[in-house]
Amino acid sequence: MKTLQHAWQRARRRRAAITLLLGLPWALAATALALRLSGFDIACVVATVSLLACAAFATARARQLDRQWLQRQLDGSGTSEDSADLLFADATTLNPLQQRQRVHVLATLERAMPELRPRWPHLAVMLCWIGGLAVALLAFGWPRSNPDPAAVHSATTGSTASAGPLHLQSTRLRIDAPAYTGQSTLTQNALDAKVAADSRLSWSLRFDHAPAKAWLQFHDGRRLPLSERDGQWQAQDVARTPVLYRVVSEPALAETRLYRLDVVADRAPSVRVLEPAASLVLGTPGQRQWALRFEASDDYGVAAQATLSITTTQGSGENITFVKRSVTLAGSGEATARRFAHTLDLAALGAQPGNDVIAQLEVRDNHAPTPQTGRSSSVILRLPSTEVALGAELEGRIKKTLPAYFRSQRQIIIDAEALIRQRRSLAAEDFVKRSDAIGVDQRILRLRYGQFLGEESEGAPKPPPISDLPTSDAPAADSHDEDHDHDHGAEAGAHDEHDHDHGGKATNADTPPVFGSATDVLSEYGHTHDHAEAATLLDPQTRATLKAALDQMWSAEGELRQGRPEQALPFAYKALGFIKQVQQAERIYLARVGPELPPIDEGRRLGGDRAGLASRELPLAARTPPDPAIVEAWQRLGDDTGAPDLDALATWQQSNAAYLPDALDLAAAIEQLRIEPGCHDCRQRLRAQLWRALQRPLPQAMRRSAADAMGQRYLDALEAQP
């Protein structure tokens, strides 16, 4: 059955192909006649209609080969034994004899399928193509009558006068973009276009009857004459700047409108650095290579090769030398977005520790005749010097060996809870020792916070600025992490069991005390409380909260030192809450330094000498007023009876095109009013464009509105009071 279906479809396709071959030459002939007699637009319509008609007729002819036709063909060939109707009947409705006959016919068709495709009508196809091509050649090659030019001109003038106003019958604009853009030739009927810069434009216009002369009038005053050839008025130009133009003829056209030609300039290629991510990269000790990746994009295409400039700086201070090199790179990817990659060998460049390696990529586009260039931003690889590398390594080693001098309040709570959970697995003596150790940590932390309230602590270092309050108990540290502070020296934890020493050693043993000096007496026999003055910078509420935290720490410390961590936890939690409040409070730290005022010249005080003094009033720059002619034209457009000078407006627009928000829209409004002087909407459109072109006045201070009756009575009452 599949073999039969394929043979049937081949027969239908053969019928459709024969019909198309017979109809296409006459469609070609009709199109040629329409192009010769009526122009390009009518020819396009005739060609479209003819092709659609041929396709529809071919489809209809193919559908005529239906099932009945197939049965007649099979029965006529004798292959089906006059049983072709059984092939398309439902097998369930057939009796056994009919089913047996159906299987026999199908087997016969599988072995020997008759030829169902119609024969090619070679003679008819040849005659049709000969006739169609002959008509087309006659349409293009038949000579036009060319009478005397003077007679033609007089006849044209007379026919023009009798025929009335001129009309555009068809328009065609051909756009040939520059070769470097890769754009194909575009032909369109509309005269408005947006083209690439330096595109070649070809106009082809057809009028309903021939004018005496015609040209394209541009808004900048330039004229492009149209020449007549075989009924087509043609002109060519190169698009360099955006323009407005209209078709002008003698006699004048019945309907004239403006056409806009936008020119898109070719942009320079842009280059983006993909790797490294930062413009300044700090190298690592022993680094030997540096990977670079760039991406260059352009609207029409980037050249396949680019230049990578490499600059190496050597030396330090004033003895710096520069070594420049360049490497040619090959790009990959699409022409509009190419990628360039390169790996620098620092040893081959001679880069040493302490040197800088600067790289920059320069690409070119396919612009002709002069390519445009684009450069990437510079990326710098700074190789660390030997001293810097050793210092960084030493600093890292020192940081690794720094002990945790202080424990945070949260850590004290965590240690106490852990100790409580381990009570059963520890001996009583070990349990008390560990609890006492946690109590010592609590005492050190209490003394640390107490310094900010002016309390004395034996052997304690000077307090840090208030901005350096411990942050390990911040609310964000809810997870049980060990956060240790390293703000003070190790001696802060070395005196946790000593009494406060008010005794008398001077701060400098080599300097003897001076008799009568209060400072030396105090330093010899007492001690100072300079750090207590920092507490005065806390507001009273913050001081009270910090004092409450210290009280809770004292209670927690006592319980921990006695081996009772369960009783110490409530006090420790309260202390943590107070510490959070203190950390969130507003506080400042002011350096105790005196103001550095300039010395006063006593000789000029109250002397009345004003030499060298000048007025402090800022000079006011005069604002450039708008052109009075433009203001007058704007006012005239508001009055329906006034007529502005359009030539002066066009001249002003051309001279100020670089400063206008949309110079082409203003030119279009001027030209539209020139075409339709009585158009009210055109006047309003031009007036709106002029308002946008005028400079905005500076905002002025608004005068206060006069007081109403109630307000005036209130002011009078104020003045009446003594």
Side-chain angles (χ1 to χ4, degrees):
M1 194 67 178
K2 290 183 179 180
T3 304
L4 180 61
Q5 291 289 342
H6 291 329
W8 187 12
Q9 293 298 328
R10 287 196 299 270
R12 284 188 164 188
R13 286 194 293 268
R14 175 69 63 83
R15 174 67 69 86
I18 292 172
T19 306
L20 287 176
L21 287 176
L22 293 175
L24 284 177
W26 302 113
L28 177 62
T31 303
L33 289 174
L35 182 62
R36 179 64 185 270
L37 299 177
S38 302
F40 180 78
D41 294 340
I42 302 300
C44 290
V45 174
V46 171
T48 303
V49 173
S50 301
L51 291 177
L52 291 177
C54 290
F57 189 63
T59 304
R61 289 272 297 167
R63 288 181 177 178
Q64 290 179 357
L65 306 184
D66 52 3
R67 185 179 298 176
Q68 288 75 16
W69 173 86
L70 181 59
Q71 293 178 8
R72 290 195 301 271
Q73 293 294 323
L74 293 177
D75 292 339
S77 64
T79 309
S80 63
E81 300 178 359
D82 294 335
S83 301
D85 55 338
L86 298 178
L87 300 177
F88 303 99
D90 188 3
T92 58
T93 60
L94 301 178
N95 56 42
L97 182 59
Q98 291 175 333
Q99 292 180 0
R100 185 180 181 84
Q101 179 64 15
R102 183 174 181 273
V103 172
H104 173 70
V105 172
L106 286 175
T108 304
L109 292 176
E110 289 290 338
R111 291 192 304 269
M113 176 64 66
E115 181 61 40
L116 300 178
R117 293 178 297 178
R119 296 181 179 179
W120 286 102
H122 298 286
L123 182 60
V125 170
M126 183 177 62
L127 292 177
C128 287
W129 277 97
I130 291 174
L133 292 176
V135 173
L137 292 176
L138 288 175
F140 285 112
W142 193 267
R144 293 177 179 269
S145 59
N146 190 16
D148 184 60
V152 170
H153 179 71
S154 60
T156 302
T157 305
S159 62
T160 302
S162 61
L166 204 63
H167 292 84
L168 271 175
Q169 190 174 17
S170 64
T171 59
R172 185 176 60 178
L173 176 61
R174 176 174 174 172
I175 304 170
D176 294 317
Y180 70 86
T181 62
Q183 299 178 357
S184 58
T185 300
L186 176 63
T187 302
Q188 61 182 29
N189 295 331
L191 297 183
D192 296 300
K194 186 174 183 180
V195 300
D198 299 331
S199 296
R200 179 165 294 278
L201 307 176
S202 301
W203 287 270
S204 180
L205 310 177
R206 180 181 290 274
F207 301 93
D208 56 351
H209 49 272
K213 61 179 179 178
W215 66 92
L216 300 179
Q217 180 67 50
F218 296 92
H219 79 280
D220 55 1
R222 185 168 56 96
R223 286 188 176 187
L224 183 62
L226 294 168
S227 59
E228 192 271 339
R229 182 179 179 182
D230 294 337
Q232 301 283 344
W233 292 78
Q234 300 174 353
Q236 292 185 351
D237 195 15
V238 178
R240 292 187 173 88
T241 57
V243 291
L244 295 169
Y245 70 98
R246 66 180 188 271
V247 181
V248 183
S249 64
E250 291 183 2
L253 288 171
E255 296 180 0
T256 303
R257 55 157 296 189
L258 283 174
Y259 303 100
R260 179 164 180 162
L261 190 64
D262 290 314
V263 177
V264 181
D266 183 16
R267 301 193 308 267
S270 61
V271 187
R272 183 167 61 97
V273 181
L274 299 180
E275 186 181 351
S279 58
L280 177 60
V281 181
L282 299 179
T284 58
Q287 182 174 350
R288 298 180 178 274
Q289 293 182 339
W290 188 29
L292 300 173
R293 289 196 305 123
F294 304 88
E295 183 182 44
S297 59
D298 188 71
D299 42 7
Y300 296 122
V302 182
Q305 292 185 343
T307 302
L308 179 64
S309 301
I310 307 168
T311 304
T312 307
T313 64
Q314 298 177 354
S316 61
E318 298 181 355
N319 299 323
I320 297 180
T321 59
F322 299 90
V323 180
K324 296 184 178 180
R325 299 178 178 85
S326 61
V327 179
T328 301
L329 304 181
S332 61
E334 299 180 357
T336 55
R338 294 188 186 275
R339 294 200 172 189
F340 300 87
H342 186 67
T343 301
L344 295 179
D345 188 354
L346 301 180
L349 295 175
Q352 301 295 331
N355 297 160
D356 290 349
V357 180
I358 307 170
Q360 187 182 40
L361 186 69
E362 179 179 345
V363 299
R364 299 176 181 271
D365 62 3
N366 298 325
H367 187 274
T370 304
Q372 301 180 102
T373 60
R375 295 179 178 85
S376 68
S377 58
S378 298
V379 289
I380 305 173
L381 173 65
R382 180 158 296 169
L383 299 175
S385 60
T386 307
E387 293 79 4
V388 174
L390 291 177
E393 185 179 359
L394 180 61
E395 182 181 0
R397 291 177 180 176
I398 292 175
K399 287 183 178 179
K400 291 179 181 178
T401 58
L402 283 177
Y405 297 120
F406 298 107
R407 315 292 290 277
S408 67
Q409 185 64 28
R410 185 180 302 278
Q411 188 63 40
I412 291 173
I413 295 175
I414 294 174
D415 293 344
E417 292 177 346
L419 181 60
I420 294 173
R421 289 194 297 268
Q422 298 175 3
R423 176 188 290 272
R424 296 182 179 180
S425 60
L426 294 176
E429 183 179 356
D430 295 339
F431 181 83
V432 173
K433 287 183 179 180
R434 292 183 57 177
S435 178
D436 180 69
I438 299 174
V440 172
D441 293 338
Q442 179 68 85
R443 181 175 183 272
I444 296 174
L445 187 63
R446 175 178 60 82
L447 293 177
R448 180 184 182 189
Y449 280 102
Q451 294 174 6
F452 296 98
L453 290 180
E455 296 184 357
E456 301 171 353
S457 58
E458 56 280 3
K462 292 183 179 181
I466 292 180
S467 59
D468 292 338
L469 278 174
T471 59
S472 57
D473 294 320
D478 291 336
S479 61
H480 298 321
D481 297 332
E482 292 188 3
D483 43 330
H484 305 298
D485 302 303
H486 309 286
D487 297 320
H488 300 286
E491 64 273 10
H495 302 278
D496 51 0
E497 296 295 338
H498 297 288
D499 296 329
H500 182 60
D501 184 11
H502 288 257
K505 282 190 179 181
T507 56
N508 191 348
D510 298 333
T511 304
V514 180
F515 182 78
S517 175
T519 304
D520 290 323
V521 171
L522 182 61
S523 61
E524 176 70 14
Y525 300 103
H527 60 281
T528 60
H529 293 268
D530 291 342
H531 59 274
E533 298 183 8
T536 62
L537 301 176
L538 298 174
D539 58 274
Q541 183 179 359
T542 304
R543 286 174 52 84
T545 306
L546 185 57
K547 183 63 171 64
L550 294 179
D551 294 341
Q552 297 298 326
M553 289 183 183
W554 178 273
S555 301
E557 176 189 345
E559 298 294 340
L560 289 170
R561 298 296 292 269
Q562 299 179 35
R564 296 195 296 266
E566 295 89 348
Q567 288 79 359
L569 281 180
F571 302 108
Y573 273 111
K574 291 181 180 179
L576 178 61
F578 288 130
I579 290 175
K580 290 182 180 179
Q581 296 180 19
V582 172
Q583 291 171 349
Q584 296 171 2
E586 296 181 356
R587 50 197 182 272
I588 58 174
Y589 179 77
L590 301 177
R592 295 181 298 158
V593 295
E596 298 180 1
L597 300 178
I600 299 175
D601 187 2
E602 300 291 343
R604 298 186 60 182
R605 294 190 66 188
L606 303 178
D609 185 9
R610 299 182 59 83
L613 299 180
S615 176
R616 296 187 178 183
E617 295 182 359
L618 296 177
L620 297 178
R623 183 177 177 84
T624 304
D627 193 343
I630 304 304
V631 177
E632 181 182 359
W634 181 80
Q635 293 173 349
R636 285 178 175 271
L637 288 170
D639 185 6
D640 293 339
T641 59
D645 188 355
L646 297 181
D647 294 334
L649 280 179
T651 304
W652 180 85
Q653 181 270 337
Q654 294 174 17
S655 59
N656 297 273
Y659 308 101
L660 296 176
D662 196 338
L664 215 56
D665 282 351
L666 178 57
I670 295 173
E671 295 300 321
Q672 192 63 36
L673 185 59
R674 193 192 302 274
I675 296 173
E676 304 178 45
C679 177
H680 177 73
D681 294 339
C682 300
R683 295 174 65 91
Q684 294 302 320
R685 190 180 302 112
L686 177 57
R687 194 166 188 262
Q689 291 293 335
L690 286 179
W691 177 255
R692 294 180 58 194
L694 290 175
Q695 295 181 354
R696 299 291 185 271
L698 294 176
Q700 302 291 334
M702 301 297 295
R703 294 182 61 86
R704 182 180 297 176
S705 58
D708 54 5
M710 181 179 296
Q712 190 62 40
R713 289 197 300 271
Y714 176 73
L715 295 177
D716 295 341
L718 289 178
E719 294 179 357
Q721 291 182 359

